[in-house]
Amino acid sequence: MADLNAGSLAFVMGTGIVSTALYVNGAGTASTVLLWVALAGFAVLVPAYGWRLLRRRERFVADLLGPRAFAFLTLAVSSNVLAARLVPDGHTAVAGAFLAFGTLGWVVLDYGIPIALITTLKRGPSFDQVNGTWFLWAVGSESVAVAAASLARVTPGHVLPVLAVVCWSVGLMQYLLTAAIVLARLLARPVRPEGLMTSVWIFMGAAAIVVLAAVRLIALPSGSALLSRPLLVGSSVVLWSFSSWLIPLLLALGVWRHALRRIPLRYDLGWWNLVFPVGMYAVTTHELGRATGTSWMTGVGRWEVWIAAAFWAVVFAAMVGAALRPRRVSAHQSASDVGQGAGRQGAGSTPSRTLP
């Protein structure tokens, strides 16, 4: 836990959105299984964050002032993703609690991280520090909008619709600003293959969640969204088209990194930065097609849901394999050491003590 990655809750984000994708596609059992996996991950990782803050405060603060500080927003995003997923199951009270936690985390981090980065003097200003995790600034706002709009459909009052509209608007502006910064970084500065992280896929996922939030606002009763349906639909189509355009570009960059530059394709936490955008794009395509009555888009979304589920399974298996691999190596080394020690002991020497 002392070395806990700031973006560890990306696992919960990816699992939660794929659970949502399976739910809208009618795969209720698989969706429920992934929901429980996501809840278990949330229950384990959030206390781990708290332990690290209390026991390793210096390292925690150092990460909070670093170039990947926006990764801490996975704490708020994961809570809101779970809130939105719990609403259709009828767990409105639990969903409200997750939304409250996610909104609080969003307020603290969405303001705190930029303020900390602007005011700290412990870093050297460099354009090269810009990376894909900065899109989580917009994703955090849009996750509040999605959860609030989802809960507003089943609960009375005007607070949730207003919160959803405000967060959607703020998130849209944050996305546009971040996209300009990240694109300028990619185009104006040299990019090394090993420096092109999987977090760049959040570029696409952030656009997709803006669309999903707009679709949730469209579903609200007339007049409660404060924004006209044509505005929401038009913005959704534009951003969905842009997120679709990004996919071949991101795939080409992946081919350049791994096939041409031969960067090994090994599992790391960043793989979950791919799962979330893929799952989010699948949900968005399906829901936008249903909201606009576009049958071909809904059909494409159904296929994308299964792609997202398969991708989740591959990444989850890779994660488990990576977790078990050091143990297998250690066990093999221990057995070898024991055998060598026994041989030396039989020859009258004292076996050395080797740590596993």
Side-chain angles (χ1 to χ4, degrees), residues 5-20:
N5 191 294
S8 295
L9 280 160
F11 164 72
V12 179
M13 289 168 51
T15 304
I17 196 59
V18 174
S19 172
T20 301

Side-chain angles (χ1 to χ4, degrees), residues 75-95:
L75 178 67
V77 177
S78 60
S79 183
N80 292 322
V81 168
L82 291 174
R85 171 59 185 88
L86 288 165
V87 170
D89 283 345
H91 304 299
T92 55
V94 181

Side-chain angles (χ1 to χ4, degrees), residues 16 29-30 59 82 99 115 140 186 226 235 238 264 313 335:
T29 302
R59 297 172 68 175
L82 291 174
L99 174 59
I115 291 173
L186 293 174
L226 301 178
S235 302
V238 170

